[in-house]
Amino acid sequence: MLNLERLRTLDALARHGSVSGAAEGLHITTSAVSQQMSKLEREVGQQLLAKNGRGVRLTDAGRLLADHAARILSQVELAQSDLEAQRGQVVGELRLAAFPTAVRGLFPAAISALRSAHPGLRIGSREMDPEAAVLAVIRGDFDLAVVLDWYNKPLPMPDGLVKAPIVDDTADVAMPVTHQHAQRAEVDLEDFADDDWITWGEGEFCDEWLMHTLRSKGIEPRVAHRAEEHPTQLALVGAGLGVCVAPRLGRGPVPEGVRTVPVRQSVSRHIYAVWRADADRRPSIRAAVEALKSAAEKAV
């Protein structure tokens, strides 16, 4: 009889590609992963892992069993989802992931509301960029992720996921109060063709969006500073070091010396929740989506 937890370990190895990655995804030690795999090899009577430099790789038998393990675990997830739906209770464990401004702007209110309404639900969360969060949900590391795409740049969405809209988040342009456009009621992105830009890390989804959007308007952006967090970007703006796009969700108080001005042709990002289709009937997923929507109504 194949052991389900050992199959879960094999599945994690196949998905993450390394013992350390599997251990992180399963929240166990690397030695525990190795022990589980050794026991599974003894159970099936075949070698499932082979040395590959300093790491390991799956053998042909390992890949074959890993394919079966993924299907088995999906069926187990579906069974658990159906049982939860039949019971109608919001209980168990719920693992959430979201990009930084959603964690700051939505999670405190949403998770507090969930804990208050459903004391039998254990909730954990982690900050994670949208593309990584989608992959983490597919791998089963998280149950639900809050992700985003921009009005003119969709986030690639693999098959096997369900999504629900949470809120549309409008973004303004943030500039020093001494900027020539700071007292205007509205601006166009083209107005900042000659300004230094403060943006996200190079190659990140939002940075790629900004570069694409400005270039589509005939602007070759002059990037002066990069910062992951919006408060850091706004602090740099306040020091007179450039301008940035400033979404409203999770923005917090605008620093002294900074003015945010709406864009005439609205710039917005679509924020939504995603989860695996085989977990679609879980009451905890539905409860989380509703809590996130309620939090968003007050946050934006």
Side-chain angles (χ1 to χ4, degrees):
M1 180 70 69
L2 293 171
N3 179 281
L4 189 61
E5 287 309 308
R6 287 163 201 157
L7 290 179
R8 199 180 302 279
T9 304
L10 175 62
D11 178 64
L13 262 170
R15 289 186 283 102
H16 290 277
S18 67
V19 171
S20 59
E24 182 178 355
L26 293 170
H27 308 292
I28 60 177
T29 64
T30 54
S31 62
V33 171
S34 299
Q35 290 169 15
Q36 289 281 57
M37 290 306 302
S38 295
K39 291 177 181 178
L40 185 58
E41 286 181 328
R42 289 197 296 272
E43 284 179 354
V44 301
Q46 295 191 60
Q47 184 179 0
L48 302 175
L49 297 179
K51 292 286 187 181
N52 185 30
R54 294 185 177 180
V56 295
R57 62 173 176 81
L58 293 178
T59 63
D60 289 344
R63 284 194 296 270
L64 177 64
L65 186 56
D67 289 341
H68 284 290
R71 291 192 291 272
I72 291 168
L73 293 169
S74 178
Q75 283 300 118
V76 170
E77 179 76 30
L78 185 59
Q80 291 174 334
S81 178
D82 285 346
L83 284 170
E84 281 189 29
Q86 185 187 54
R87 199 165 53 226
Q89 296 177 338
V90 180
V91 295
E93 182 180 13
L94 188 67
R95 299 160 299 173
L96 307 176
F99 57 96
T101 49
V103 171
R104 185 166 58 248
L106 298 178
F107 276 13
I111 294 175
S112 293
L114 282 169
R115 290 183 61 184
S116 177
H118 308 289
L121 184 64
R122 302 184 306 278
I123 306 168
S125 68
R126 180 174 173 181
E127 190 176 283
M128 189 177 293
D129 289 334
E131 291 169 310
V134 167
L135 293 176
V137 169
I138 291 173
R139 289 195 306 261
D141 298 340
F142 289 87
D143 300 301
L144 180 147
V146 179
V147 299
L148 68 90
D149 53 28
W150 291 87
Y151 70 101
N152 59 346
K153 184 177 174 60
L155 179 71
M157 194 60 55
D159 294 335
L161 294 179
V162 178
K163 71 178 185 178
I166 301 299
V167 69
D168 284 349
D169 181 25
T170 301
D172 305 313
V173 177
M175 65 199 80
V177 293
T178 55
H179 196 282
Q180 60 178 326
H181 301 313
Q183 301 309 313
R184 291 175 53 182
E186 293 181 322
V187 292
D188 294 307
L189 291 178
E190 293 91 330
D191 295 332
F192 304 93
D194 297 325
D195 282 272
D196 286 341
W197 281 91
I198 299 163
T199 180
W200 297 267
E202 189 169 5
E204 290 187 9
F205 183 75
C206 289
D207 175 65
E208 289 182 348
W209 163 79
L210 181 61
M211 299 300 104
H212 163 77
T213 301
L214 293 175
R215 286 167 180 155
S216 70
K217 297 178 179 295
I219 303 169
E220 182 54 41
R222 190 169 65 231
V223 176
H225 306 281
R226 295 185 180 276
E228 306 291 337
E229 293 281 356
H230 292 150
T232 306
Q233 294 181 9
L234 291 174
L236 293 169
V237 171
L241 301 178
V243 301
C244 74
V245 171
R248 295 176 185 176
L249 177 65
R251 181 190 291 173
V254 175
E256 186 177 349
V258 175
R259 173 84 196 282
T260 59
V261 181
V263 180
R264 181 174 290 108
Q265 293 182 333
S266 181
V267 172
S268 63
R269 52 187 191 171
H270 310 305
I271 297 171
Y272 48 95
V274 298
W275 60 92
R276 295 185 305 281
D278 55 20
D280 192 40
R281 296 187 64 197
R282 288 179 60 187
S284 57
I285 295 287
R286 297 297 173 182
V289 171
E290 292 307 312
L292 287 164
K293 287 181 178 179
S294 294
E297 290 176 359
K298 302 170 185 175
V300 176

